[in-house]
Amino acid sequence: MPAPIPFDPEAIATAKQIVRPAKDGVTIKRTICATCDIACSVVTESKQGRVVKVRSSDNPIFRDNICMKGIIAPKAFAHPDRILYPLKRVGERGSGQWEQVSWADAMSDIGQRLKKVIAEHGPEAWAVSTSQWNTATDHGLGRRIMNHVGTPNWISGVALCAGNTAAINRFTYGWFPMGDFNNTNCIVLMGHNPRRHSWTPIYNYIRSAQERGAKLIVCDPRKSSSAERADIWLPLKAGSDGAMMFGWLKVIFDEGLYDKDFVANWTVGFEELRKRVDEFPLDRVAKLTGCDPDMIAKAARMYATSGPSIIPWTPITDMQRNSTSAIRLQSILRSVCGYIDVAGGETLQGFNPDIVSESTIEMHEVLSEEQKAKQLGSDTHPAFTYRGQAALREPLKRVWGHEYPNQITGCYMANPSATFRAMAGEGNYPVKAFFALGNNTVMSFANMPLILKGMMNQDLIVAHEHHMTPTAQLADYVLPGDSWLERPWLTDTFGWMSAYRPSEQSMEPPGEAKSTWEFWKHIANALDRPELVPWETLNDFYDDRLKGTGMSFKELSETTEIYFDKPVFRKYLKTGFATPSGKVELKSSILEDLGFDPLPYFREDPPADPDYPLQMFTGVREDGYFQTAQRQVPEMRKRAPEPQIFVSPGTASKYQLDENEWVTIENQIGKISAQVAIKEAMPDGLVRVPHGWWKPEMQQGAGHLSGALKYSDAQLCRDDEDYLDREQGIPHLKGIPCRIIKSLSENATKTEAQA
């Protein structure tokens, strides 16, 4: 989640360049950390052309927004195993046999092979996966080239995390809002647990808000560190977010706590929604969530009467079989309480008129309707595909001035599972060329066995990476990527906000590492389409985008920490909302036209399987790691050397589990190994499974994948229909049936090693 910018005009007015002067041969640069997704403003210190220190910003707005991952970044990026030169596979796919080649030779061969795939199978046979949480950005160039070539098959980890939230929010009020932490009176965390070293700015904003008296409500099965500080903690059942929101709406409607004027003048579908909400009396919601009905009502009243309140984005609600309805229920709560586009509530920011957006660079308008219709998964799970977002084109143009605003890069994606099926030869047409940029694809989506099958069926795989990840181990070419220390960056928080922040380049990339901008320029040239990336350098590209400001990128970087317009609230009074009706659609005309229920609903769990009596949730991070990265960094690995599942003392006692004991976690599609960690904060019957585990020191290549086949949670993540959200087709990761089996061989090996 990118760090929000304060909406306090006095505070934001101080956002000029504030950096302590250099001394003793140290070069100071003002930079934005991209080790994780939060984009903290930091300062780098360099000596003799190499960054030696990353520290917190000197600007009071951003001070203390730094974590251990940013601090250790100079050492992490100097790791001896970092890929510094292009590598070409010379053995069988996954054999681990490579030879060093030049960028020119690599691109010549990649271009010829990609053109061959396109000629034989059509442009849609080329798919790309990149999570710009990891690359910081690809500048819109990836979609730009794909749109001109004619393929709609772009996928990303944001299908499970914020990108899908953006797409679903737009069904209700035509934009993806950002909560105004600095002025809000109440914050609701749905399973989200920002900490000192994870989502650090959000952690700081929440603590500051509480210090000035804001309320905190936490809905989380675990007694997280945020729950410990909350005014109200609701220990809801994993995956029951939507049911909880129905309960809140029931209380708010029955007690008349909603904004009646806003509902009457700016919403459609209220009466139909109210009838649906009446299907969820508090006794039913209590059974579905496992929470006390009086506490549910108390939380609903606090949210509705303390306002303006915010429900910040959460990755938890993104990853459920009721995700679309639960996200919609959050957007409906914001709306009926009158918290949309107001100070202290949920801000709708739009575009900055002075700067060319990445959405403009992407040029979605050049992709033909025929090719858009081929986007994988759009026929069955269309929500964030071109088909699902098509009805918003005119309203978005009317209100925000752009027909294809691609917020969080997640509003015009193919469906990941459908893409992997096409790669495996199980789709309506084949995908035969696959690019992964800063995205460890094999481990980043559900149904890892399907992904592996698809990867092994490709004619061409290209990875742009720092390290030989399990995904890179299956590639034909692994091309070295730069880091955030080694490039300039202009960020608008992935289309979420209208404020821009520049990031200065702190050092030159090592070896032949190149940025995503350079990667795509090379690809355009390799496809004989150099006109698609006509700028000579990245700085030229930025200068062109910044012409409306009257500044070059260098001038912006030297004079401005944040480039912004003064915030304007309740813009809908002049423009309406960017929905087909021009109002907040409590009953979604878009979902109805797509053949789905236009009102939120709640699907109860499938029948219990006695062979798998426990429930697992996955996706929780260790503080020292981001997604599947940083496990090669000694300082981070020392903090979390092995994958650990978390269980309650009651669960440990029932299944005779000991602390640090190795076990197997198993369900109907796979199994993984991990150590047991017994945590008082965990509820009985729930198993936390860590995300993204592999061990870079272990054997590479197919059949091993550096331990990914032994530890990766993606092997347990299902994508069958019972465990998919209907509208999006994303997997349910918050309550999957599983069982725990003692790993006798591993524990014996451990005992022998200790002896």
Side-chain angles (χ1 to χ4, degrees), residues 93-94 416-417 419-426 431 434 440-458 461 469-475 669 671 701-712 714-716 719:
R93 186 176 306 286
S417 289
T419 301
F420 298 130
R421 287 191 170 85
M423 291 170 62
E426 300 172 8
V431 167
F434 183 76
N440 191 0
T441 310
V442 164
M443 301 172 59
S444 298
F445 300 89
N447 198 343
M448 186 169 155
L450 173 67
I451 301 171
L452 290 172
K453 182 179 178 182
M455 296 287 277
M456 298 304 289
N457 193 41
Q458 295 302 287
I461 299 176
T469 65
T471 301
Q473 292 170 34
L474 300 178
I669 71 165
K671 61 183 180 180
H704 303 282
L705 298 181
S706 298
L709 296 175
K710 189 177 185 66
Y711 305 115
S712 174
Q715 295 173 102
L716 302 176
D719 67 350

Side-chain angles (χ1 to χ4, degrees), residues 136-315:
T137 178
D138 76 347
H139 312 279
L141 296 181
R143 298 307 296 269
R144 180 188 183 93
I145 292 170
M146 294 173 73
N147 287 334
H148 279 86
V149 169
T151 177
N153 291 324
W154 188 94
I155 63 172
S156 173
V158 301
L160 304 173
C161 187
N164 61 329
T165 321
I168 301 305
N169 267 263
R170 299 194 330 181
F171 290 163
T172 305
Y173 31 59
W175 202 250
F176 183 29
M178 171 66 79
D180 181 5
F181 285 86
N182 296 277
N183 299 294
T184 195
N185 294 329
C186 180
I187 300 168
V188 179
L189 297 179
M190 297 298 300
H192 202 18
N193 186 37
R195 302 183 298 280
R196 181 66 188 85
H197 292 283
S198 182
W199 284 291
T200 305
I202 308 303
Y203 169 86
N204 289 334
Y205 278 129
I206 293 170
R207 299 287 81 77
S208 295
Q210 286 188 287
E211 286 174 6
R212 60 174 173 75
K215 303 296 185 182
L216 178 64
I217 303 170
V218 173
C219 300
D220 197 318
R222 314 156 294 165
K223 192 169 187 180
S224 66
S225 55
S226 293
E228 290 176 347
R229 297 186 180 94
D231 295 275
I232 296 176
W233 169 44
L234 292 169
L236 79 174
K237 177 184 173 184
S240 67
D241 299 31
M244 180 63 71
M245 297 294 96
F246 268 122
W248 286 22
L249 284 170
K250 178 65 173 166
V251 173
I252 290 168
F253 288 168
D254 286 355
E255 298 183 8
L257 303 180
Y258 58 96
D259 186 328
K260 297 176 182 64
D261 288 339
F262 183 86
V263 167
N265 295 315
W266 287 104
T267 71
V268 295
F270 179 73
E271 292 305 324
E272 294 94 328
L273 172 67
R274 185 157 191 171
K275 290 178 181 177
R276 179 61 56 84
V277 170
D278 283 342
E279 297 174 15
F280 291 86
L282 284 193
D283 58 347
R284 181 186 178 197
V285 173
K287 290 177 181 177
L288 291 172
T289 63
C291 292
D292 178 78
D294 291 337
M295 292 304 296
I296 295 171
K298 184 178 179 181
R301 295 182 191 115
M302 182 177 287
Y303 173 78
T305 61
S306 299
S309 303
I310 61 174
I311 307 174
W313 163 77
T314 168

Side-chain angles (χ1 to χ4, degrees), residues 121 124-125 152-153 374-376 421-423 426-431:
H121 303 285
E124 63 273 14
N153 291 324
K374 294 179 182 178
Q375 193 167 47
L376 290 163
R421 287 191 170 85
M423 291 170 62
E426 300 172 8
N428 295 329
Y429 59 81
V431 167

Side-chain angles (χ1 to χ4, degrees), residues 280-441:
F280 291 86
L282 284 193
D283 58 347
R284 181 186 178 197
V285 173
K287 290 177 181 177
L288 291 172
T289 63
C291 292
D292 178 78
D294 291 337
M295 292 304 296
I296 295 171
K298 184 178 179 181
R301 295 182 191 115
M302 182 177 287
Y303 173 78
T305 61
S306 299
S309 303
I310 61 174
I311 307 174
W313 163 77
T314 168
I316 308 304
T317 312
D318 288 350
M319 305 173 185
Q320 299 181 16
R321 63 199 299 271
N322 292 300
S323 176
T324 296
S325 285
I327 293 169
R328 285 256 298 136
L329 286 162
Q330 290 178 7
S331 68
I332 286 168
L333 275 164
R334 295 167 179 146
S335 302
V336 299
C337 290
Y339 299 154
I340 287 293
D341 210 22
V342 296
E346 311 279 358
T347 65
L348 306 176
Q349 296 192 31
F351 289 101
N352 190 305
D354 298 335
I355 300 175
V356 177
S357 69
E358 291 190 5
S359 290
T360 299
I361 298 297
E362 289 177 348
M363 298 184 70
H364 293 276
E365 67 276 5
V366 306
L367 184 64
S368 71
E369 294 303 313
E370 178 185 5
Q371 291 305 109
K372 285 187 174 87
K374 294 179 182 178
Q375 193 167 47
L376 290 163
S378 63
D379 54 340
T380 54
H381 304 291
F384 51 63
T385 69
Y386 283 115
R387 176 176 168 241
Q389 298 284 305
L392 290 167
R393 286 169 57 181
E394 184 281 326
L396 289 166
K397 178 87 169 178
R398 169 173 50 82
V399 174
W400 303 112
H402 199 300
E403 202 171 1
Y404 289 99
N406 193 10
Q407 290 185 280
I408 318 297
T409 71
C411 295
Y412 307 105
M413 296 182 288
N415 175 269
S417 289
T419 301
F420 298 130
R421 287 191 170 85
M423 291 170 62
E426 300 172 8
N428 295 329
Y429 59 81
V431 167
K432 300 298 290 184
F434 183 76
F435 288 12
L437 283 76
N439 175 244
N440 191 0
T441 310

